[in-house]
Amino acid sequence: MIEVLTTDSQELLHQLDTLLEQESRCQPKVCGLKLIESAHDNGLRMTARLRDFEVKDLLSLTQFFGFDTETFSLAVNLLDRFLSKMKVQAKHLGCVGLSCFYLAVKSIEEERNVPLATDLIRISQYRFTVSDLMRMEKIVLEKVCWKVRATTAFQFLQLYHALIHETLPSERRKDLNFERLEAQLKACHCRIIFSKAKPSVLALSIIALEIQALKCVELTEGVECIQKHSKISGRDLTFWQELVSKCLTEYSSNKCSKPNGQKLKWIVSGRTARQLRHSYYRITHLPTIPETIC
């Protein structure tokens, strides 16, 4: 239980308090997201469907390069923050999305792993130029007030998972698989509705739903303690849990459009190809949710 604090637990709770205090500072405008959700698809206006397709493309790129989930989570945050403030035409969405992705990559990944802009554009098969990408980056930065880093659901997922692990005996820690939780978060990021949730609530909803399926008393008690500490209401947690459950059920169905290899004809330089050869296998195994979910 969290009440029985170890030194590690105290440090984790301190980190959690910091994230909770910061989480509302760099989040998308809910009113702007609602406008996107209500827009009709006429091929010109931004819609939820177009936004979700763009996020799936960013997820494909994340997997292809072997980037961290935090990079993807931040890229989605930047994209939604921008879209919730600006009226973006459908034809410009690719440039906006790739700009947000590139900003996230440069913010999170090690410098030696950051691809050249030319390679990123060629791999993505877009027709705009590096100059176009750089101009769009500047526009995005201005609209997010130059605040690239943000508190994301992935950060909360990591902390919540670590806190629960601290409460469990070593033989039970394997029960709550983090890679599975990570894959579920990626699936949720591909739906615009989850960008309206607080990152802390979304992360805890994913964990709570998984723990319900495990039917483990110790894990359930851990969630209740975290919920209380994070000041998340039972009503909010139940509401988002139900939406997460629905999303994951749809994601596992054949009708759901998931990120996949798309059999793209990658066009890369010899140097880039050598750098990515160990990641190529991933492109045909883009994020699946392990075991029963997928």
Side-chain angles (χ1 to χ4, degrees), residues 66-289:
F67 290 148
D68 194 80
T69 300
E70 171 63 2
T71 299
F72 172 63
S73 202
L74 179 59
V76 173
N77 171 274
L78 287 167
L79 177 63
D80 286 332
R81 283 161 64 191
F82 186 80
L83 295 179
S84 67
K85 288 184 176 182
M86 301 295 295
K87 291 183 178 180
V88 176
Q89 294 183 25
K91 64 182 180 180
H92 296 143
L93 180 58
C95 191
V96 172
L98 200 63
S99 297
C100 293
F101 180 75
Y102 205 29
L103 286 169
V105 168
K106 290 185 284 187
S107 178
I108 301 293
E109 301 293 333
E110 294 184 18
E111 186 176 355
R112 60 188 175 85
N113 294 329
V114 176
L116 296 174
T118 50
D119 289 332
L120 187 60
I121 293 171
R122 293 173 68 192
I123 289 170
S124 305
Q125 298 191 24
Y126 286 122
R127 295 183 179 180
F128 49 78
T129 66
V130 172
S131 295
D132 294 330
L133 185 67
M134 296 301 104
R135 281 196 298 270
M136 186 59 72
E137 268 196 8
K138 184 177 180 181
I139 294 171
V140 171
L141 285 170
E142 289 174 349
K143 295 306 175 183
V144 300
C145 302
W146 297 85
K147 296 176 181 178
V148 175
R149 298 303 294 265
T151 303
T152 65
F154 179 72
Q155 292 171 325
F156 278 106
L157 196 69
Q158 286 182 308
L159 268 180
Y160 288 156
H161 182 265
L163 277 166
I164 291 174
H165 262 212
E166 281 293 307
T167 70
L168 294 174
S170 57
E171 66 270 14
R172 298 301 308 273
R173 293 183 177 182
K174 63 181 180 180
D175 293 345
L176 193 60
N177 183 279
F178 185 73
E179 289 184 359
R180 181 179 171 86
L181 296 172
E182 204 173 354
Q184 292 171 349
L185 176 61
K186 291 175 183 177
C188 289
H189 274 325
C190 292
R191 301 289 180 88
I192 191 173
I193 189 171
F194 293 106
S195 294
K196 295 189 292 185
K198 287 185 177 181
S200 58
V201 179
L202 176 57
L204 192 58
S205 297
I206 291 170
I207 288 181
L209 188 66
E210 182 71 4
I211 286 175
Q212 275 186 8
L214 293 173
K215 298 180 180 179
C216 174
V217 175
E218 295 96 332
L219 291 173
T220 301
E221 290 176 348
V223 168
E224 291 172 351
C225 289
I226 289 174
Q227 179 185 348
K228 182 178 180 181
H229 186 90
S230 301
K231 298 180 180 179
I232 296 172
S233 72
R235 182 178 180 180
D236 281 350
L237 187 60
T238 299
F239 174 81
W240 288 106
Q241 267 187 251
E242 290 176 353
L243 289 178
V244 169
S245 178
K246 181 181 178 182
C247 170
L248 298 182
T249 299
E250 292 174 352
Y251 190 91
S252 66
S253 73
N254 293 328
K255 296 179 181 180
C256 178
S257 173
K258 308 170 189 172
N260 55 51
Q262 302 171 37
K263 297 182 180 178
L264 296 177
K265 296 179 181 178
W266 301 101
I267 306 172
V268 297
S269 67
R271 181 179 61 81
T272 303
R274 287 191 297 273
Q275 289 174 343
L276 301 179
R277 65 184 181 276
H278 296 302
S279 298
Y280 181 78
Y281 176 77
R282 294 186 178 198
I283 202 168
T284 57
H285 293 76
L286 288 178
T288 57
I289 298 177

Side-chain angles (χ1 to χ4, degrees), residues 11-26:
E11 175 59 28
L12 290 171
L13 284 176
H14 175 71
Q15 294 177 34
L16 176 57
D17 288 338
T18 300
L19 288 185
L20 289 168
E21 193 271 329
Q22 295 175 346
E23 76 171 324
S24 62
R25 295 180 183 176
C26 295

